[in-house]
Amino acid sequence: MKEAIVPAAGGWADIESFNTIDIDCVPWPEQFPYRPQVKASLAHTEDALLIKFDVKEEGIRAVCTEPNGPVWEDSCVEFFVKDPQSRYYYNFETSCIGVGLAGKRISRQEFSHFTPEQMALVKRRASLPCEPIEAAGETQWSVELEIPFAALDCPAKPAGLLANFYKCGDRTATPHFVSWSKVLTPSPDFHRPEYFGKLTLIW
């Protein structure tokens, strides 16, 4: 099982103390060999997980502008997470322009999207303006997520979580599906908690 440490931090001002991981697994190389450069920097405060995705990819697409819309079709980063004792997992998906999707799930088919009030609890900041874009050539962009523990089905101060990090773009010029922890399915399917890695939170 893939493992990563999530250190304590005072906030985004302490980003140099965050732990950085590479999202570089290409689970379906014959179908989707393209691998953009993706890193995630991780930390937590007393109340929330802090995650910054840094991406460099060839060609970007962001046409979805509605919360809980099909952001996975655009240039998108994703964080799936669950408490080891819970039957539920949560998926947080964010496009390169900061449009988000969030849900509480038992599976791909059984889920409920976050309400507008729940979505407002999750802070998202993108380096690109929040307006539709399609551009060729190499582009660098970043997204910051601040996810309160209160938004998750977990203890207030969890010692460990199960999670996976993804980069995808189903309808980009070069469709791709990249993960942190390898997914062992015959075709792309990120909704597989059995392949989540382990996050150890240091308090």
Side-chain angles (χ1 to χ4, degrees), residues 48-126:
L49 286 169
L50 307 180
I51 304 168
K52 182 184 180 187
F53 290 92
D54 289 296
V55 180
K56 182 187 294 185
E57 66 178 308
E58 285 291 336
I60 59 171
R61 176 188 192 267
V63 300
C64 175
T65 58
E66 292 296 322
N68 287 328
V71 294
W72 64 87
E73 296 179 349
D74 291 341
S75 297
C76 182
V77 288
E78 304 182 352
F79 173 62
F80 285 34
V81 61
K82 74 184 298 287
D83 180 83
Q85 307 305 316
S86 175
R87 66 194 292 243
Y88 299 102
Y89 69 94
Y90 293 80
N91 61 311
F92 299 91
E93 308 181 12
T94 309
S95 74
C96 60
I97 60 172
V99 178
L101 174 152
K104 179 178 182 178
R105 295 178 176 268
I106 294 176
S107 66
R108 177 187 287 277
Q109 293 78 23
E110 298 178 80
F111 70 94
S112 59
H113 279 143
F114 275 30
T115 65
E117 292 75 21
Q118 291 172 311
M119 289 288 279
L121 296 174
V122 180
K123 297 177 182 177
R124 293 178 176 84
R125 290 176 290 272

